[in-house]
Amino acid sequence: MKIKDVMDFLDSIAPPSYQESYDNSGLLIGDPHAEATGILVTLDCLEDVVAEAIDTGVNLIVSHHPIIFKGLKSITGKDYIERTILKAIKNDIAIYAIHTNLDNILSGVNAKIAEKIGLINTRILSPKAEILTKLVTFIPSHSVEKVMLALYEAGAGNIGNYKNCSFSVNGKGTFLPTEKATPHTGTIGALEHVDETRIEIMFESFLEKKIITALKQSHPYEEVAYYLTSLRNENQEVGSGMIGELETPLDSNEFLEALSSSMDLRVIRHTKPLHQKISKVAVCGGSGSFLLKKAMQAGAQAFVSADFKYHEFFDADGQILIADIGHYESEVFTKELLIAHLIKKFPTFAINFSKTVTNPIRYSYKLDGKSISIPKA
């Protein structure tokens, strides 16, 4: 199996076009056409993780966070980023990152958090707009079934839990073949009238090349008439954060205790407890303070995320419980998510959890007068 085979599979789960503009997901280091000897899954790719890959004999690291975020003008080993890159290159280790594109899909990072804390009836908190395209084309009536099947197989016509969605209306098409034409129907130099069906169908914009290829290959006409329109509609299956419901409403202290247990937490930074029960909860893996207003507007009584600044806690204004559980802690179970996807697709291939704890934060507290520091696993 090639490294590209793994890349293509992960790209199909979380398309790179869904990553945020500041992100750098995808293959960062390595030859996509090299044979893959195994996969090591990690939250962060650091020097110790590369060493672990070498020790275990695998040559592909799949990391949630990209080791390369900004442009590099030199690679001399002056910091942990450059040392990691050099170590990977010297040992033919490929590094693939699947970051905000995995955050932004319905079955991604936030779905894993929601699953861990027991949320039901989940949906995307802040759906993305302008990532859908509408195709309009005209098909001779006798070829509609063939062309539509090709479009559906290419990924068009999916709306939420529904597949093969389209709209059609019958009409008359006209054309006059010129001397250089090779018409499927009609005669050169003569105006032709054909029973045609106008088809309107939506698809995710990143599929455009695949959709148009399927249209042209299945359509009987030499020249296929079609046009594309970018839609401002929100895609309910792609976006930031997630919101869902607890099966049993809890008061604030009960919720925090359950959250601590389900997410294996030692510390939770949070706002003051609410007087009301918590039944609706919003979540966002990693830095999610930008979604606080969305969570409040959606009626959440609690928002589980990380990296809140001091003054941002005031924005809860007694209306919502902010539970800042830590960046690493909110995303550490992403490794389980990726492993599950990879094993399902490649059941006989060597796929390993990284045993390296990459959390840069340590937690200290006093016990019997002694200060104890804990590396959070």
Side-chain angles (χ1 to χ4, degrees):
M1 186 170 69
K2 305 289 186 184
I3 287 173
K4 190 177 186 303
D5 295 326
V6 180
M7 290 171 48
D8 289 345
F9 170 66
L10 292 173
D11 287 352
S12 72
I13 293 173
S17 60
Y18 290 164
Q19 68 181 300
E20 301 297 335
S21 59
Y22 61 81
D23 201 7
N24 191 35
S25 295
L27 186 65
L28 306 182
I29 296 171
D31 177 5
H33 302 291
E35 291 287 337
T37 60
I39 303 170
L40 185 65
V41 177
T42 182
L43 189 65
D44 307 281
C45 186
L46 305 174
E47 291 174 84
D48 289 347
V49 176
V50 176
E52 186 181 357
I54 296 167
D55 291 342
T56 53
V58 306
N59 67 344
L60 173 60
I61 296 171
V62 173
S63 174
H64 181 48
H65 294 135
I67 184 62
I68 304 172
F69 256 118
K70 301 176 181 179
L72 299 173
K73 294 185 177 180
S74 64
I75 303 178
T76 61
K78 67 178 178 292
D79 57 27
Y80 77 96
I81 295 172
E82 294 186 9
R83 289 194 301 271
T84 300
I85 293 168
L86 285 172
K87 193 177 190 72
I89 292 173
K90 286 178 180 178
N91 291 277
D92 290 326
I93 305 292
I95 300 175
Y96 175 94
I98 182 168
H99 190 208
T100 53
N101 47 328
L102 188 63
D103 291 335
N104 285 335
I105 62 171
L106 190 61
S107 59
V109 173
N110 297 309
K112 187 63 180 178
I113 298 171
E115 174 194 317
K116 295 292 291 186
I117 65 179
L119 299 185
I120 58 174
N121 301 325
T122 55
R123 60 180 174 84
I124 296 290
L125 177 60
S126 180
K128 281 187 175 295
E130 300 182 354
I131 58 172
L132 294 170
T133 298
K134 182 176 75 170
L135 166 68
V136 176
T137 188
F138 307 87
I139 310 169
S141 298
H142 60 78
S143 297
V144 169
E145 185 175 349
K146 175 187 175 184
V147 176
M148 293 307 297
L149 180 60
L151 292 175
Y152 293 145
E153 289 180 347
N158 297 329
I159 303 177
N161 294 324
Y162 297 86
K163 298 180 66 176
N164 299 6
C165 304
S166 66
F167 175 79
S168 64
V169 61
N170 295 324
K172 285 285 186 181
T174 63
F175 55 85
L176 192 155
T178 64
E179 293 180 358
K180 294 183 178 180
T182 308
H184 171 267
T185 301
T187 305
I188 290 175
L191 184 64
E192 185 71 17
H193 297 264
V194 182
D195 290 329
E196 290 185 335
T197 300
R198 173 189 167 113
I199 297 293
E200 299 185 19
I201 190 167
M202 290 198 309
F203 60 88
E204 294 174 283
S205 300
F206 76 92
L207 292 172
E208 180 177 321
K209 184 177 180 180
K210 186 177 181 182
I211 297 296
I212 298 306
T213 297
L215 172 65
K216 291 181 176 180
Q217 289 180 347
S218 61
H219 202 290
Y221 287 174
E222 181 181 21
E223 299 288 349
V224 182
Y226 69 91
Y227 56 87
L228 301 171
T229 305
S230 295
L231 302 178
R232 295 178 61 188
N233 304 48
E234 292 181 340
N235 187 338
Q236 299 299 319
E237 295 193 336
V238 180
S240 304
M242 184 160 280
I243 188 166
E245 301 166 6
L246 294 171
E247 291 195 58
T248 303
L250 302 172
D251 65 36
S252 294
N253 290 327
E254 290 172 332
F255 173 74
L256 290 169
E257 185 177 344
L259 178 63
S260 179
S261 176
S262 62
M263 296 296 289
D264 189 25
L265 304 172
R266 298 181 188 276
V267 176
I268 301 177
R269 299 166 66 225
H270 62 85
T271 50
K272 64 182 180 181
L274 303 178
H275 296 299
Q276 61 178 310
K277 291 274 189 178
I278 294 171
S279 59
K280 187 176 288 188
V281 180
V283 303
C284 180
S287 304
S289 61
F290 71 100
L291 288 173
L292 179 61
K293 287 186 178 179
K294 287 276 187 180
M296 295 168 73
Q297 290 167 358
Q301 293 91 32
F303 182 34
V304 179
S305 190
D307 298 345
F308 273 81
K309 296 178 181 179
Y310 175 81
H311 289 284
E312 290 172 332
F313 281 92
F314 286 111
D315 295 334
D317 201 20
Q319 301 175 50
I320 191 170
L321 177 72
I322 295 175
D324 184 328
I325 64 175
H327 197 122
Y328 178 89
E329 289 80 2
S330 71
E331 296 184 327
V332 67
F333 297 105
T334 301
K335 292 190 289 185
E336 292 182 4
L337 173 70
L338 287 168
I339 286 278
H341 280 304
L342 289 166
I343 288 178
K344 186 175 180 180
K345 177 65 176 179
F346 308 109
T348 61
F349 197 64
I351 303 169
N352 306 303
F353 273 105
S354 172
K355 297 177 182 178
T356 304
V357 177
T358 60
N359 191 358
I361 299 171
R362 295 295 181 265
Y363 302 88
S364 295
Y365 65 96
K366 283 190 175 182
L367 180 65
D368 297 329
K370 295 180 180 180
S371 182
I372 298 174
S373 179
I374 298 176
K376 184 69 177 70

